[in-house]
Amino acid sequence: MRWALFSAQLAALAAILIITNPGVVERLLIILTINDRWWLMVPIFLALWAAGLLALAATILLPNIWARALWALVIALSGAIGFGFYLASETELSIFDVVSLWNARHEAGRALAFYQSSLVRAAAIFVVTLIVLVVPPPPLMRFARARRWLVAV
């Protein structure tokens, strides 16, 4: 039963990653075709993705519920904010966008009313991601040492 739940948790996490990261393959193809230094950029791109996936795996496998909940909150909130911005603007969130949004914070009420459907979908992603990451992992006694190292990383 626990392994079925863990498999469902991994499948849901994969679905969330696919939904909230549109254009990943296209970005990789652009790096390969347009960039002169593709041999340098592709490993960096893949290393960043590997680091993100490793962080998700570490979060899922954390034995402490409070630590897992804290990291789940951070990951779910940042993912929902980025995805909500993408839904509203069809561009990726950058630091310049954050500064721009901060300067226009007095218009937040009208913006929320206008982008309500994007907000609802981003909120759904937040809730689902939070639930998926907070569900306790199955007992992994055989992998206890690897689990501790993964959490330490």
Side-chain angles (χ1 to χ4, degrees):
M1 177 63 180
R2 295 285 305 250
W3 285 103
L5 181 62
F6 187 62
S7 299
Q9 184 181 16
L10 292 177
L13 191 58
I16 291 167
L17 285 172
I18 290 168
I19 291 168
T20 58
N21 292 288
V24 171
V25 175
E26 289 82 6
R27 279 188 219 117
L28 188 57
L29 291 175
I30 288 171
I31 290 172
L32 285 171
T33 57
I34 294 177
N35 201 330
D36 293 346
R37 297 183 182 183
W38 64 267
W39 49 271
L40 178 64
M41 299 303 291
V42 169
I44 291 171
F45 181 83
L46 295 176
L48 288 172
W49 267 94
L53 293 174
L54 188 66
L56 286 173
T59 301
I60 287 176
L61 296 175
L62 276 170
N64 185 325
I65 182 70
W66 298 108
R68 193 171 56 249
L70 175 69
W71 282 111
L73 180 68
V74 170
I75 292 169
L77 188 61
S78 61
I81 289 170
F83 186 60
F85 185 84
Y86 178 80
L87 290 173
S89 66
E90 294 188 11
T91 60
E92 301 295 323
L93 183 63
S94 72
I95 190 65
F96 301 113
D97 297 317
V98 172
V99 170
S100 212
L101 289 170
W102 180 256
N103 289 332
R105 65 189 177 275
H106 60 281
E107 300 288 340
R110 284 195 282 180
L112 289 176
F114 185 76
Y115 294 112
Q116 186 175 4
S117 66
S118 298
L119 182 64
V120 169
R121 288 189 279 173
I125 287 292
F126 170 74
V127 170
V128 171
T129 304
L130 192 64
I131 290 170
V132 165
L133 292 177
V134 171
V135 170
L140 300 171
M141 297 307 170
R142 289 183 289 168
F143 305 108
R145 181 177 291 159
R147 188 171 164 183
R148 281 193 296 269
W149 277 105
L150 184 60
V151 171
V153 171

